[in-house]
Amino acid sequence: MKNRIRSNKEEKLIRIEKELLDFISNVAKNTYPNEFAAFLREDKDIISEIVLSPFSIFGRNSSTISNFSLPIDPTIIGSVHSHPGRNGHPSESDLIFFSRYGKVHIIVRYPFELEDYFFYSREGENLNYEVI
Ligand SMILES: [Zn+2]
């Protein structure tokens, strides 16, 4: 359903818990029409938790996560943020942030259902993922 990974740098298939996606959807819905952003935590190669930061809720005019304070936690592997519109593509500032930090970045677009999730590498390429 997603494009195949084309670089060999990120060969490992991303795995994420269905429960976590449901949780993210709820947070995104509750935050709408504002954006929310959080970090992703991986446990045994499965993304199983999000970590909200004090900067997790953004005003609707601030569609960037580049001002995030970066965690030093090594279990943090990337980020997730919501787009209040139907566009699931990373913005220019999203791409700059992706390239600086982490290896998996999720964008979930309105209305935040399971088919509204997009996974990106730090280069901004679509990543395959598996919901478990
Ligand atoms: Zn964005």
Side-chain angles (χ1 to χ4, degrees):
M1 105 194 191
K2 293 284 181 293
N3 299 331
R4 269 297 296 154
I5 305 161
R6 68 175 166 82
S7 81
N8 48 20
K9 278 176 279 181
E10 308 281 351
E11 269 309 337
K12 203 178 64 174
L13 188 63
I14 310 299
R15 296 198 292 168
I16 187 162
E17 285 181 358
K18 164 82 164 58
E19 240 177 272
L20 183 65
L21 290 181
D22 290 340
F23 179 71
I24 293 170
S25 291
N26 272 326
V27 177
K29 286 172 188 173
N30 288 329
T31 312
Y32 180 82
N34 292 324
E35 287 192 15
F36 101 95
F39 293 107
L40 298 171
R41 176 170 281 155
E42 188 177 61
D43 182 33
K44 299 182 183 73
D45 287 338
I46 299 168
I47 301 170
S48 52
E49 201 183 341
I50 63 170
V51 182
L52 297 166
S53 90
F55 303 102
S56 289
I57 313 288
F58 295 114
R60 63 193 315 170
N61 297 321
S62 163
S63 57
T64 172
I65 51 174
S66 52
N67 295 326
F68 243 11
S69 60
L70 301 178
I72 47 170
D73 184 337
T75 65
I76 302 286
I77 58 148
S79 70
V80 54
H81 74 283
S82 64
H83 280 181
R86 287 294 288 164
N87 182 359
H89 298 288
S91 68
E92 222 163 287
S93 49
D94 288 344
L95 287 171
I96 291 167
F97 177 81
F98 291 0
S99 70
R100 282 190 192 144
Y101 186 78
K103 57 177 183 174
V104 182
H105 298 281
I106 302 175
I107 292 174
V108 56
R109 69 179 181 189
Y110 181 84
F112 319 117
E113 301 301 334
L114 278 183
E115 60 271 20
D116 298 314
Y117 281 81
F118 299 88
F119 286 58
Y120 298 100
S121 69
R122 62 185 303 156
E123 289 84 20
E125 295 166 339
N126 268 105
L127 293 180
N128 248 351
Y129 66 96
E130 185 183 16
V131 178
I132 59 167

